[in-house]
Amino acid sequence: MLDVQSIQSGYGKALAIDDVSFQLEASESLAILGRNGAGKTTTLKTVMGMTPAWQGRIVFKGDDIVNLSSDTIARAGIGYVPEERRIFESLSVTENLLTGEKAGASGAAPWTVERVFELFPEIARRSMAPAGTLSGGERQMLAVGRALMGNPDLLLLDEPSEGLAPVVVNRLGDALAELRKSGIAILISEQNRRLARLAAENVVIMETGRIAYRGTFTDLDKNPEITARLLGV
């Protein structure tokens, strides 16, 4: 489904990622781990067309999408949940979800407001409340739900645990595990290893803009020295 081939990108003249390659099949999930500044967010933004690729290819469902506009990439079937969440604070929870409503690239629309509320009953209870009154965890759930309303084939999540309490992170992880079972492909950038493991079975670890490890979480468990060296835990 997604084939990222030797992409390089950065900001101004500063190189942020270099020679990054990975593949993701339909219904698969992949976590990108790494310390702050490792290049995780830049990788997702480059896939989403928000940061231009200096070189390399990004192929999604057989089409090269490198450096297409982010709205074109979204219409092709990729949903994106930014680290900043970017909800519309003056709109209600339901209105926020409806801003993301569209059929998927195939024309199907399995994700509805009702289905999002089933996944996140916490925000269902506040469906008419202004989004600006939500807690941090509820805002993250809303941001994920809004992306799902676009009925994507692939969901990109950038640091979804950022700033959340551990109990909220656990709840979000349970929801992402449910999403995995639904058949949607997931690409998640994350520092919280437990959350990433709930969302994905495969993992790459980035260090200073390059991929330093790739495998499964089961393989990673067998190599604690890699975890200690690359993640500092």
Side-chain angles (χ1 to χ4, degrees):
M1 172 179 282
L2 180 69
D3 187 6
V4 176
Q5 305 172 10
S6 301
I7 58 171
Q8 182 186 82
S9 186
Y11 307 94
K13 294 183 179 180
L15 182 66
I17 58 172
D18 187 25
D19 196 28
V20 171
S21 300
F22 56 85
Q23 292 76 41
L24 188 64
E25 298 299 329
S27 301
E28 278 191 342
S29 50
L30 175 68
I32 304 176
L33 302 182
R35 297 185 178 96
N36 278 334
K40 305 185 302 298
T41 291
T42 302
T43 299
L44 262 62
K45 285 185 174 181
T46 304
V47 170
M48 199 61 206
M50 301 176 71
T51 301
W54 295 354
Q55 66 179 39
R57 298 182 72 212
I58 303 171
V59 179
F60 179 62
K61 295 192 297 186
D63 295 323
D64 193 343
I65 62 169
V66 70
N67 292 335
L68 293 181
S69 66
S70 56
D71 62 310
T72 300
I73 292 171
R75 287 195 295 272
I78 301 181
Y80 177 62
V81 183
E83 183 178 1
E84 304 86 358
R85 295 156 194 162
R86 296 181 187 173
I87 61 172
F88 300 105
E89 295 191 358
S90 64
L91 299 182
S92 72
V93 167
T94 298
E95 288 169 336
N96 265 273
L97 292 176
L98 291 175
T99 65
E101 184 180 33
K102 69 176 181 65
S106 67
W111 282 99
T112 62
V113 171
E114 292 73 22
R115 189 176 177 190
V116 170
F117 284 163
E118 288 176 6
L119 182 66
F120 295 120
E122 295 88 344
I123 61 173
R125 292 190 287 268
R126 307 204 61 196
S127 62
M128 301 308 295
T133 67
L134 301 183
S135 68
E138 290 168 339
R139 291 179 182 221
Q140 185 64 73
M141 294 173 190
L142 178 56
V144 174
R146 185 177 58 188
L148 291 172
M149 287 291 292
N151 292 285
D153 299 306
L154 169 63
L155 182 64
L156 275 54
L157 300 118
D158 189 10
E159 303 278 5
S161 74
E162 181 69 24
L164 301 184
V167 64
V168 179
V169 172
N170 290 340
R171 171 67 187 91
L172 184 60
D174 291 339
L176 294 180
E178 285 298 314
L179 280 180
R180 281 178 59 184
K181 296 176 185 176
S182 75
I184 190 171
I186 296 175
L187 177 61
I188 179 172
S189 157
E190 187 51 76
Q191 289 195 69
N192 186 304
R193 185 177 168 188
R194 183 180 184 280
L195 175 63
R197 186 167 191 155
L198 287 169
E201 69 265 24
N202 299 311
V203 57
V204 298
I205 302 178
M206 296 189 68
E207 184 179 39
T208 59
R210 288 177 170 264
I211 293 178
Y213 172 86
R214 67 179 75 229
T216 66
F217 277 102
T218 301
D219 295 333
L220 190 60
D221 289 341
K222 300 174 184 177
N223 293 279
E225 70 282 0
I226 292 177
T227 301
R229 176 168 57 86
L230 298 178
L231 299 177
V233 294

